[in-house]
Amino acid sequence: MYLRRLFSLHNPLQPQIQLYKSIFSARRIQALAIITDNPQTTTTLNVTHDAEWTPTPISYSKLLSQCCQTKSLNPGLQIHTHLIKIGLENDPKHRNHLINLYSKCRVFRSARKLLDESPEPDLVAWSALISGYTQNGLSQDALLAFTEMHSLGIRCNEFTFPSVLKACSMKKDIIGGKQIHGIVVVTGFENDVFVANALVGLYAKCGDFLDSRKLFDQIPDRNIVSWNALFSCYSNGHFFKEAIDLFQDMIITGLIPDEYSLSTIINACTGLQDITQGRKIHGYLIKHGYTSDPFSCNALADMYSKVGDFEDAKTVFDHIPNPDIVSWNAIIAGCVLHEYFNLGLELFLKMKRSGITPNMFTFSSVLKACSGLGLQDLGKQFHSILIKSEIELDPYLCSGLIDIYSKCGEMDDAQRVYDMMPQKELIALNTLLSGHSQNGNDIEALSIFSKDRDRIGFNEATLLPILNSSASLQDVYVSEQIHGLSLKTGFQSDPFVINSLIDSYSKCGYVERAKMVFDESDIADLATFTSMISAYAQSGQGEEAIKLYLKMQDLELKPDSYICSSLLNASAILSAYEQGKQIHVHTLKSGLLSDVHTSNSLVNMYARCGSIDDASRAFFEVPEKGIVSWSAMIGGLAQHGYGKEALSLFDKMLKDGIAPNNVTLASVLSACNHAGLVTQAKTYFETMEGVFGIKPTQEHYACMIDILGRSGKLDEAMDLLSRMPFEANASVWGAVLGAARTHKNVDLGQRAARELLVLEPEKSGTRSLLANIYASVGLWEEVADTRRLMKDSKVKKEPGMSWIEVKDRVYTFIVGDRSHFMSEEIFKKLWELMDLIREEGYVPVLENDLHNVTRSEKEVLLLYHSEKLAVAFGLIATPPRAPIRVKKNLRVCIDCHTFLKFVSKVVTREIIVRDINRFHHFRDGNCSCGDYW
């Protein structure tokens, strides 16, 4: 069927063929070939029956010449048969015409047979054969024929050299081409414009643009073909700017471009993404009357589509009288490029209705449109059409099918398409690996890469999904292997590979190795800095992230929305309020606040830096509030103890038609927890699945158990734990242990501690809390045993640490810290504060201190807790009445909480402390938590 369709392309010749068949009858062939001398009818072949007429050799020559021009093989065969019958087959002119005809029609065996049977084959015969080989893409055969001809002593002329040089160009055989160039010089044809044009094309296509330009400049009478040859070579070699500059030079000479010149330069403008220059060339098209030329119009539509002016592309397309498949492909590809997926599919249907048959390029664009819209079923329909049609599934089409199945989550179908490919190609492998990685099939991605790497090969694009999968699996061994491969192959110089390596190492917990990749890279662009800053931010190293940002500023690299978002998150981790405000200023100056991710990060930063008022203002300025925006603000209010306000905002979110997700509901439960709203929490928890369609996760259960436990409903909390549909994790048992500590329940505390020691044996907090429970009920022997076990198991208690930001610098304090350069002033300030608050009624809370020392010694130890040191430093180093913001890595102890309430009163300052659970705003002797934390 496919062959029938191909032969149907020759329909215009069928009447001639039938005419010739009627002339060459079985009895007798009589032909009258009348080729008029009228220039307008020189291509018209009229054949009539005339019994009185006898053909002449000249008539046969003209008849065969017409067959060559139209590539009419069957009539030529019949004329050849007739020449044999009448004994004229050995006539040199007839033989040369037949060699030419057979060569053009790819019947090389017959052409070569005629040449070999010729007693003295001349240059015309050899030239016809060489030209036929070249025109049909058989460059090696053309060069072998030339070598044989040359060995026979037959000299080339201006008609033979261009074919031979073109054959060298096709093979990119610069050595052979230079040898033939030498023959051209020796024989004196170097000044012939056609030979010179072929030489220009040869050197350019072989990548030797300097010699190509020298030859071009030496052509005495350059014609439009000369210029077009160089335009084409520059454009095909991606030397787009050089092609455009050369075009300007031609215009200066006064030579008028033709449609080929203009369409080639339009393609160069497309390659440069230079719409300004493209519009100028469009002007030349209009000026010289080539607006109806299909090649130029198609090039214009393609240019406007690819450089970002889809409206002009559509206008050009609409003015094409009879758009062909190239026109349709250009406009459909433009739709897909600009994500007008629906319009692309509509145009495809319109093209089908116009009678144009789609090809592989059409389907490639259409599959991308289906992928962009997530139309899996439509993609499957196109797949069926491709299978039924005779379009060969090339690697690009297979990649398109793999891509749509991958984006729709149908990895089995994607894998099936890949497996059915007769010959696997790298582009399909890369698409499949990306699909597996994006769908969380990380093991499959690594397995396929391991299996097909040696057989198919790999490139930079192959390594990216593999590094992404190793990051997801947190498998540093795979990251190291890919790092080694990138070093061996030189792909480590690729910025995308560098960024993926940084991301992979950091997500595997090896930030120092990520930093090593960053430091060893010669690329200091925005993307690489963004990757490293994100790595620091995600690993909690906010100080390093901010330092790197300052270094980036020294290099005058302008931040984008992603890097600002990462920096805001780093500031949030550090509670670096002043630094966060500066980044806020940068986002304003850069016009990045319109980006929703940056706006959400701003809300989160202010909330986590203790300024809920700033967070609220940032929230109301978010351009398009999505679920992330609402969740960030609700979570911020919850952390600051504004439980009722958080629930009120949640109700407003629901009224605005925003559906909550897991994170939102966790924030809602957290708000209830911090405000002690047990009844409301139970209502939200019990209706999660029924009202919102969200099944409770471990986080939701942990929060609900914490709420019940802290309110004293320990039995109810344990009942809920027993009804969980999955095994309790460390968060759940941590909530139980916290409730046991709050209510001094030793048995429950021991049970929770046993479970936690199995789940997280390396964490010291479990035994510390258990010792705290023992101390609260006076079981000092058990306290000592617990501390001894910690020592024997080499589990070190996490030291209490606090951070405070002063003048863009973050200062760190640990308990009893004397390393600070202002230690003397800090300790002096603490004793001053102690005297002041004792007068106000402060009494140290010693019950939970585990040290077996005297009361006075315990008071001194409590006085040197890290948050107290940080607050004392803040009072010294910050302006009067300025809020003091401190972050702590552990829960604030009861004594520090009491101490800070009194301090806020005597110094008339707001003190904001963010501990591991929540924020405490100390004002005028009170705390925002209401002593419930």
Side-chain angles (χ1 to χ4, degrees), residues 620-673:
F620 286 109
E621 290 174 2
V622 175
E624 293 182 12
K625 297 179 184 64
I627 187 59
V628 176
S629 315
W630 290 94
S631 297
M633 193 62 217
I634 292 168
L637 288 168
Q639 274 200 320
H640 285 267
Y642 298 108
K644 292 179 181 178
E645 290 82 351
L647 298 182
S648 176
L649 190 64
F650 178 65
D651 290 337
K652 187 176 185 305
M653 183 194 84
L654 297 178
K655 287 177 183 176
D656 284 358
I658 305 293
N661 59 16
N662 284 331
V663 177
T664 321
L665 290 170
S667 296
V668 167
L669 291 175
S670 177
C672 296
N673 192 7

Side-chain angles (χ1 to χ4, degrees), residues 256-272:
I256 297 174
D258 62 8
E259 59 268 44
Y260 185 83
S261 316
L262 294 169
S263 60
T264 303
I265 298 303
I266 290 168
N267 290 334
C269 294
T270 305
L272 274 181

Side-chain angles (χ1 to χ4, degrees), residues 376 380 404-415 439:
Q376 175 192 344
K380 285 183 176 180
I404 186 171
Y405 285 128
S406 298
K407 286 182 177 173
C408 295
E410 298 290 337
M411 287 312 301
D412 289 341
D413 288 334
Q415 184 70 52
N439 282 279

Side-chain angles (χ1 to χ4, degrees), residues 74-331:
N74 284 350
L77 287 169
Q78 295 181 46
I79 294 170
H80 190 180
T81 302
H82 187 60
L83 287 171
I84 293 171
K85 287 184 179 181
I86 62 176
L88 293 177
E89 78 277 9
N90 290 322
D91 181 88
K93 289 185 178 179
H94 295 154
R95 178 183 282 110
N96 289 346
H97 279 307
L98 286 166
I99 291 171
N100 190 19
L101 173 66
Y102 290 144
S103 297
K104 285 184 175 179
C105 295
R106 297 182 63 89
V107 188
F108 291 108
R109 182 175 294 179
S110 297
R112 186 68 208 219
K113 186 172 183 294
L114 284 172
L115 186 73
D116 291 339
E117 290 175 351
S118 174
E120 292 184 7
D122 57 12
L123 177 61
V124 175
W126 281 103
S127 294
L129 183 66
I130 292 168
S131 176
Y133 280 137
T134 303
Q135 289 175 14
N136 286 283
L138 303 173
S139 54
Q140 182 63 34
D141 294 301
L143 293 174
L144 289 172
F146 168 76
T147 303
E148 186 178 349
M149 180 194 77
H150 191 69
S151 67
L152 294 173
I154 299 173
R155 296 179 63 184
C156 282
N157 63 10
E158 68 272 25
F159 302 107
T160 316
F161 278 125
S163 295
V164 180
L165 290 168
K166 185 179 179 183
C168 292
S169 300
M170 292 163 61
K171 284 191 68 183
K172 295 190 176 179
D173 181 4
I174 189 64
I175 296 174
K178 285 182 176 180
Q179 291 176 343
I180 294 167
H181 187 181
I183 298 171
V184 168
V185 174
V186 169
T187 53
F189 286 104
E190 71 272 20
N191 290 325
D192 180 85
V193 68
F194 296 104
V195 177
N197 290 345
L199 283 166
V200 169
L202 164 71
Y203 282 99
K205 286 182 179 176
C206 292
D208 192 345
F209 287 96
L210 288 176
D211 283 341
S212 176
R213 184 59 191 262
K214 286 179 184 176
L215 287 168
F216 174 81
D217 291 337
Q218 291 169 8
I219 299 175
D221 297 313
R222 292 191 289 265
N223 58 15
I224 192 64
V225 177
S226 312
W227 292 91
N228 286 348
L230 204 55
F231 293 157
S232 177
C233 292
Y234 276 144
S235 187
N236 291 335
H238 291 184
F239 291 93
F240 302 121
K241 187 178 184 304
E242 289 78 1
I244 293 171
D245 291 343
L246 191 67
F247 176 78
Q248 299 295 347
D249 292 343
M250 185 190 79
I251 296 299
I252 292 170
T253 66
L255 195 62
I256 297 174
D258 62 8
E259 59 268 44
Y260 185 83
S261 316
L262 294 169
S263 60
T264 303
I265 298 303
I266 290 168
N267 290 334
C269 294
T270 305
L272 274 181
Q273 297 282 292
D274 187 348
I275 192 168
T276 303
Q277 190 65 43
R279 291 188 192 281
K280 290 181 182 178
I281 307 302
H282 192 175
Y284 280 114
L285 275 169
I286 296 170
K287 180 180 177 181
H288 296 295
Y290 294 126
T291 51
S292 60
D293 174 60
F295 295 102
S296 300
C297 290
N298 290 343
L300 273 175
D302 184 59
M303 179 198 71
Y304 283 125
S305 293
K306 288 180 178 175
V307 300
D309 195 337
F310 182 70
E311 290 303 316
D312 280 350
K314 189 76 167 57
T315 301
V316 170
F317 175 79
D318 290 338
H319 283 83
I320 299 175
N322 296 302
D324 58 13
I325 185 62
V326 179
S327 316
W328 285 102
N329 283 347
I331 196 66

